[in-house]
Amino acid sequence: MLSQATMSQPHGAVRRFATVPSQPVSLNSLFGGQPVETFEPGTAVFWEGDEARHVFEVVEGALRIFRILSDGRRVITGFLYPGDLLGVSLKDQYLYTAEAITRTKLRRYEHGRFQEEINRSPELRPQLFACLCDEMAAAQDQMVLLARKSAEERVASFLLLIARRLGGDERQPVIEIPMTRLDMADYLGLTIETVSRTMTRLTNCGVIAPSSRHAMVVRKLGKLAMLAGEADAGDKDALGGRSIQQAVWPN
Amino acid sequence: MLSQATMSQPHGAVRRFATVPSQPVSLNSLFGGQPVETFEPGTAVFWEGDEARHVFEVVEGALRIFRILSDGRRVITGFLYPGDLLGVSLKDQYLYTAEAITRTKLRRYEHGRFQEEINRSPELRPQLFACLCDEMAAAQDQMVLLARKSAEERVASFLLLIARRLGGDERQPVIEIPMTRLDMADYLGLTIETVSRTMTRLTNCGVIAPSSRHAMVVRKLGKLAMLAGEADAGDKDALGGRSIQQAVWPN
DNA sequence: CGTCGCTTTGATTTACCTCAACCTTGGTGG
DNA sequence: CCACCAAGGTTGAGGTAAATCAAAGCGACG
């Protein structure tokens, strides 16, 4: 819904679409001429295993990217927002399904031509490379979350990610959560019940204050960061910087 | 980076160092002229947060790639073997620590020059791109494993990955496992005890037969694949192919 | 106003973790 | 050559976080 972009997320691409100055060639500007296509909530843009014919740019809305195990277990490997690119990872088949969460608008670019453009432009290449690296970094964060974090830390990490993404630097950001509890659960490797209980607990602690089912105010951003287990911890607002290695830490 | 890439499905590119034909320019051939450096078991090649000055090629041995949470929890995000590249992922800081598991030999390339070479060569570029994509695919497999698989499925998946990697197509591959149980546990998001118990169970079922602490024979590859929960399931030998889209599929 | 999908809350179960003891292996030195 | 030791690995008993099972609350929409 909101049109801000940038959050290194699996499959995402970063890049701010809205505020492109026009002259400089950016990845997103590539899509400028393409017609906008609309996808209703719950509809798939493509399926895992489909031949990978296009690259997409998210113009508006939100999508989930997921894979499904043979017995139905679903794993959401990422969410996409305006400005993100979709389907860049090549191979000749898509390796995940992409589905619209809200009503979503996309621009499409033929895969081969996309590759050509990238190849041709020495400006675009490093941008794409940087995108992939952000994506890789996000994937690693997610592996850390899934491998070693508790339910509370997972939910807190998720909310924090969203808050930083579209809450900007505000101390008590209002955040929109377009996805359902089931989406969150499948992203965080939990069940809906556990997600729900954890959110309730966060509410009772005064860390968050829900305004509707899909929106809330983060009242204690610093506390949320602490709960997320990311070692930045400062009580007020965290500096986005990835702070590393402090083996021992009070607080 | 290119860390866990190799572990998944050899997409061909950049893999195996040994079988490079010599004339054609390959990513690995770039490192040809560089001197070989040796790292003793347990020593770090670089630390998370270090300024990313070099890209490395693994010539011999095995490494672990990991991150550590503030309270000491460790997550191994990948293992590297001969032919793999390390540190490709840019940013200006390494975002994980790389440590030798066995005595390891590496070749080093200065980061900036590596970038230049890549930029210059229209042959190398797609190779690097393919590498990153393999890596991304592997990261996603790992997310699926961590988010939704049981302990048994995790261990089975891990053994299967190794078996396919260095066991070739044999039906009862002999596999070497250079890492300790703790490494496996931190890679699979489990504890050593659970890994140990699970391996014992697999042994009792006749699926594997340990020959030493760090080597074993996989006696029932098909069964292992089934236990790994990867939907290939066939009772005999699985076709390495990634089977996809089972949304609706009798199997 | 009733129905349907999503969410919350509660009671119970369970897979995995934790704690603790013991066993194996490989290296070292007497 | 064997006794000893330390590090890594296995096995067992018990605890717990999260899953599962079950029931109700809450909106939105026809």
Side-chain angles (χ1 to χ4, degrees):
Chain A
M1 289 305 206
L2 304 183
S3 60
Q4 273 185 345
T6 303
M7 162 159 106
S8 47
Q9 257 300 304
H11 320 286
V14 193
R15 246 37 28 169
R16 207 133 246 166
F17 176 64
T19 57
V20 172
S22 80
Q23 282 307 356
V25 190
S26 84
L27 273 178
N28 289 309
S29 68
L30 254 187
F31 294 81
Q34 305 301 108
V36 172
E37 298 170 54
T38 302
F39 292 81
E40 293 304 314
T43 58
V45 177
F46 54 75
W47 298 83
E48 178 181 349
D50 281 0
E51 196 186 338
R53 267 194 266 267
H54 298 93
V55 178
F56 300 85
E57 184 212 13
V58 182
V59 175
E60 192 186 309
L63 303 121
R64 58 182 159 250
I65 290 305
F66 62 88
R67 288 174 59 180
I68 295 196
L69 292 179
S70 50
D71 60 354
R73 284 173 287 184
R74 184 179 72 158
V75 179
I76 294 183
T77 54
F79 295 110
L80 270 69
Y81 306 90
D84 290 342
L85 298 190
L86 169 63
V88 175
S89 301
L90 17 38
K91 308 278 188 181
D92 31 69
Q93 298 187 329
Y94 294 116
L95 22 79
Y96 44 74
T97 299
E99 229 173 60
I101 293 175
T102 60
R103 168 184 279 254
T104 296
K105 294 183 191 303
L106 302 177
R107 283 191 234 259
R108 183 193 299 258
Y109 210 91
E110 199 269 316
H111 197 282
R113 286 184 51 218
F114 181 79
Q115 293 273 40
E116 277 175 43
E117 292 293 346
I118 294 298
N119 247 321
R120 176 151 50 228
S121 164
E123 287 183 298
L124 256 35
R125 255 183 272 129
Q127 284 183 50
L128 182 64
F129 192 58
C131 270
L132 286 173
C133 287
D134 279 347
E135 200 178 334
M136 210 45 237
Q140 278 185 29
D141 286 343
Q142 189 67 359
M143 286 191 259
V144 169
L145 180 147
L146 293 170
R148 290 288 178 231
K149 287 189 178 178
S150 69
E152 191 167 83
E153 289 172 319
R154 293 182 199 202
V155 172
S157 297
F158 174 72
L159 295 177
L160 196 61
L161 200 63
I162 295 196
R164 286 183 176 151
R165 186 178 195 289
L166 42 80
D169 307 330
E170 296 170 47
R171 283 200 293 126
Q172 297 202 348
V174 178
I175 62 181
E176 303 240 343
I177 306 192
M179 58 291 287
T180 67
R181 295 293 127 109
L182 183 58
D183 288 332
M184 288 178 58
D186 285 347
Y187 179 63
L188 298 174
L190 300 170
T191 59
I192 20 180
E193 292 96 331
T194 298
V195 170
S196 182
R197 275 185 252 270
T198 305
M199 302 260 302
T200 304
R201 215 177 313 137
L202 290 177
T203 303
N204 292 339
C205 292
V207 175
I208 57 175
S211 33
S212 85
R213 200 177 275 179
H214 292 287
M216 63 177 58
V217 183
V218 178
R219 292 217 175 286
K220 300 178 182 174
L221 198 50
K223 184 93 176 286
L224 192 63
M226 274 200 56
L227 292 175
E230 289 203 349
D232 24 19
D235 55 319
K236 282 293 159 43
D237 38 26
L239 330 152
R242 62 174 61 250
S243 55
I244 309 161
Q245 70 201 133
Q246 42 253 88
V248 187
W249 237 63
N251 203 340
Chain B
M1 272 215 155
L2 294 233
S3 21
Q4 49 279 88
T6 316
M7 293 285 286
S8 68
Q9 286 73 32
H11 167 263
V14 183
R15 246 53 309 176
R16 290 293 89 83
F17 176 62
T19 56
V20 172
S22 81
Q23 282 306 355
V25 190
S26 83
L27 274 178
N28 289 309
S29 68
L30 255 187
F31 294 82
Q34 306 301 108
V36 172
E37 296 172 56
T38 302
F39 293 81
E40 293 303 315
T43 58
V45 177
F46 55 73
W47 297 83
E48 178 181 351
D50 280 0
E51 196 186 340
R53 267 195 266 266
H54 298 93
V55 180
F56 301 84
E57 184 212 15
V58 181
V59 175
E60 192 187 309
L63 303 119
R64 60 183 158 248
I65 291 305
F66 61 88
R67 288 174 57 181
I68 296 196
L69 292 179
S70 49
D71 59 356
R73 284 173 287 184
R74 184 179 73 158
V75 179
I76 293 183
T77 54
F79 295 110
L80 273 77
Y81 306 90
D84 290 342
L85 298 190
L86 169 64
V88 173
S89 169
L90 28 33
K91 309 277 187 182
D92 32 68
Q93 297 188 331
Y94 294 116
L95 21 80
Y96 45 72
T97 299
E99 229 172 61
I101 294 175
T102 61
R103 169 182 278 252
T104 295
K105 294 183 191 303
L106 303 176
R107 283 190 235 258
R108 184 191 297 257
Y109 211 91
E110 200 269 315
H111 197 282
R113 287 184 49 217
F114 180 78
Q115 294 273 40
E116 278 175 41
E117 292 294 344
I118 294 299
N119 247 321
R120 176 152 48 230
S121 163
E123 289 181 298
L124 256 36
R125 255 183 273 129
Q127 285 182 48
L128 182 65
F129 193 57
C131 268
L132 286 173
C133 287
D134 279 347
E135 198 178 339
M136 209 48 236
Q140 278 184 29
D141 287 343
Q142 189 67 359
M143 285 192 259
V144 169
L145 180 148
L146 293 170
R148 288 289 178 231
K149 287 190 178 178
S150 69
E152 192 168 81
E153 289 172 319
R154 293 182 198 201
V155 172
S157 298
F158 174 72
L159 295 178
L160 195 62
L161 200 62
I162 295 196
R164 284 182 176 151
R165 184 177 197 293
L166 42 80
D169 307 331
E170 296 170 46
R171 284 199 293 125
Q172 297 203 346
V174 178
I175 63 181
E176 303 242 341
I177 307 192
M179 58 290 285
T180 67
R181 296 291 127 108
L182 184 57
D183 287 332
M184 289 178 57
D186 285 348
Y187 179 63
L188 299 175
L190 301 170
T191 58
I192 23 180
E193 292 95 329
T194 298
V195 170
S196 182
R197 276 184 252 271
T198 305
M199 302 260 302
T200 302
R201 215 177 313 134
L202 290 177
T203 302
N204 292 339
C205 292
V207 175
I208 57 175
S211 33
S212 84
R213 199 177 276 178
H214 293 288
M216 63 177 57
V217 182
V218 178
R219 292 217 176 285
K220 301 177 183 174
L221 198 51
K223 185 90 177 288
L224 193 63
M226 275 200 57
L227 292 175
E230 288 203 352
D232 23 19
D235 56 318
K236 282 291 159 44
D237 37 27
L239 332 150
R242 64 168 60 246
S243 52
I244 310 162
Q245 71 200 138
Q246 48 280 74
V248 185
W249 236 64
N251 193 353

